[in-house]
Amino acid sequence: MRDLSDLIEFENENTTLDFKAIQYKKGQNENFLKDILSLANSISKDDKYIIIGVKHKPNGERELIGIEDEFVDDATYQQLVDSNIEPSIGFSYFPFEYKDKLFGIIHITDFSDPPYMMKKDFGKLKLGDSFIRKGSYQNRLTRKDIDSQIKQGSESDISQKIDISLTDSEIIKNKNIPRQNFDLPSKIKRKEIEQVIREKEVSKSPFNDFTLAGMTPFIYTPYSNRSLITLQENLKTVDSDFAEDNEYFVYEENAYKLNFFIHNDSSSFLEDVSIEIKIKTNKNFTIRKSIYIKSRPYNPIIKTLPRTATYDEM
């Protein structure tokens, strides 16, 4: 079984995963049967999941709602499937707690005899109706889909013939990335401020108590033209003032960006598949899930407004 918390938190809907905001109730039994049929018929040998309690949006954003009403008994769903779908599908429905919320997990484990279809009329579903999931979409099963299922059933597992590389030719077995050493922008600015303070304290100039601003409020005032009081305040807030610069410097200018190439040494096409890269946890590195945008040049009027990401950043 896959890590359920990772599925809830990070995965998008795909051939083997579907999200639902609320549990299937009596008036939604047709939708439940269609969803079970679609996942069981999908062209994938991996276990299939329907996770209930997650409101998932097309852009990948999600809201973890959880289940607050009475939890539906597994036997209720089992009876629905056994009475209406053939051949038999093996699955279970159970509760799962994550971040102090309760979620429902439909875990489909036995779907080795497709195609699956309705064995009698049920509401708007008719005898022989069948559906298949492709990516995040649900479609009626076609002859082409059945041919693909038959072909897949006759082929051996090709997973050992699939490799991943970071270039178009280098197959990854072990990848060692050297440690990076650098000073953050905030640390560089801190040193700069401290140096200016030392120089002003030594000079004891009468102008040290005044900030010599530029001709307009839009011009950045150098540290050398700021008063000692202003510089002391700058020193207190330098880390927060340059937090965005730090993130961009580390994660965009100096981080390693990895692009993955898929190598298929089998005679079969890879169609509607996902590749999962697993990296062992290590305190010496972090993996970011965001793209950091370069902070805009100083301007007291628009410095608080968000900046649209550039094409390259997107």
Side-chain angles (χ1 to χ4, degrees):
M1 179 184 294
R2 298 183 62 184
D3 189 315
L4 297 176
S5 59
D6 282 352
L7 294 180
I8 292 172
E9 192 74 57
F10 303 113
E11 287 286 348
N12 291 323
E13 291 185 332
N14 54 57
T15 304
T16 62
L17 176 63
D18 193 10
F19 290 111
K20 298 295 176 184
I22 59 176
Q23 293 185 104
Y24 299 95
K25 294 300 179 66
K26 189 173 182 180
Q28 300 170 313
N29 287 342
E30 293 175 33
N31 291 333
F32 167 71
L33 292 173
K34 285 179 66 176
D35 290 340
I36 292 292
L37 281 169
S38 298
L39 282 170
N41 281 324
S42 67
I43 308 296
S44 174
K45 294 181 180 180
D46 295 330
D47 287 2
K48 321 289 176 66
Y49 297 87
I50 301 176
I51 298 181
I52 300 174
V54 179
K55 188 175 182 180
H56 189 266
K57 301 178 182 179
N59 63 359
E61 294 179 0
R62 70 203 64 210
E63 181 181 352
L64 306 187
I65 301 173
I67 296 174
E68 297 183 354
D69 53 346
E70 183 178 356
F71 198 84
V72 177
D73 186 65
D74 173 68
T76 301
Y77 291 146
Q78 295 285 353
Q79 184 178 5
L80 266 172
V81 172
D82 290 342
S83 301
N84 293 282
I85 294 177
E86 61 180 3
S88 177
I89 299 174
F91 75 97
S92 59
Y93 180 59
F94 57 89
F96 177 73
E97 290 189 11
Y98 178 65
K99 289 188 173 180
D100 298 323
K101 295 182 183 293
L102 183 67
F103 298 88
I105 310 295
I106 296 177
H107 183 200
I108 305 175
T109 55
D110 184 5
F111 44 89
S112 58
D113 192 19
Y116 295 92
M117 58 187 62
M118 295 294 296
K119 62 182 178 182
K120 65 179 184 180
D121 293 350
F122 184 91
K124 295 181 180 179
L125 298 175
K126 302 302 179 183
L127 170 69
D129 278 354
S130 190
F131 302 87
I132 186 170
R133 190 175 181 88
K134 297 181 179 181
S136 59
Y137 296 96
Q138 186 181 88
N139 300 302
R140 281 191 173 274
L141 194 73
T142 65
R143 172 57 188 264
K144 181 181 177 181
D145 297 324
I146 296 175
D147 290 342
S148 297
Q149 290 171 339
I150 294 173
K151 181 180 179 181
Q152 186 192 49
S154 63
E155 291 178 342
S156 59
D157 182 12
I158 64 169
S159 61
Q160 298 303 313
K161 296 184 178 181
I162 307 301
D163 282 305
I164 306 296
S165 72
L166 298 180
T167 69
D168 58 1
S169 59
E170 177 202 3
I171 303 298
I172 300 175
K173 296 302 179 185
N174 289 291
K175 182 66 178 176
N176 295 316
I177 297 176
R179 181 183 179 91
Q180 291 268 55
N181 295 301
F182 46 72
D183 284 340
L184 294 173
S186 61
K187 186 175 182 179
I188 295 173
K189 290 295 181 181
R190 178 179 293 277
K191 290 179 179 179
E192 183 180 342
I193 296 170
E194 290 172 341
Q195 178 63 29
V196 174
I197 290 175
R198 286 193 294 268
E199 292 174 355
K200 284 181 176 289
E201 289 175 340
V202 170
S203 69
K204 296 182 180 180
S205 169
F207 295 106
N208 289 345
D209 296 331
F210 302 95
T211 295
L212 305 177
M215 298 297 292
T216 72
F218 302 103
I219 298 177
Y220 172 82
T221 303
Y223 291 130
S224 59
N225 290 349
R226 302 183 190 186
S227 69
L228 277 171
I229 294 176
T230 301
L231 289 169
Q232 293 291 354
E233 292 298 319
N234 295 155
L235 202 58
K236 293 178 183 177
T237 61
V238 66
D239 290 333
S240 58
D241 289 344
F242 289 90
E244 290 185 5
D245 298 81
N246 287 344
E247 290 177 337
Y248 188 84
F249 178 79
V250 173
Y251 298 118
E252 298 303 322
E253 293 185 347
N254 289 282
Y256 287 93
K257 298 178 178 64
L258 307 181
N259 291 314
F260 296 100
F261 293 81
I262 304 171
H263 299 264
N264 179 7
D265 196 33
S266 74
S267 59
S268 302
F269 288 105
L270 294 182
E271 183 179 359
D272 197 18
V273 301
S274 62
I275 303 295
E276 185 177 84
I277 307 298
K278 292 187 177 182
I279 303 176
K280 292 182 179 179
T281 302
N282 189 309
K283 65 180 181 180
N284 293 323
F285 67 81
T286 58
I287 299 174
R288 309 308 295 176
K289 63 177 181 179
S290 301
I291 298 297
Y292 291 90
I293 298 174
K294 190 172 184 178
S295 58
R296 66 169 74 248
Y298 173 78
N299 187 313
I301 303 299
I302 61 173
K303 66 179 182 179
T304 59
L305 296 178
R307 182 177 71 79
T308 303
T310 66
Y311 178 81
D312 287 339
E313 289 166 345
M314 293 175 66

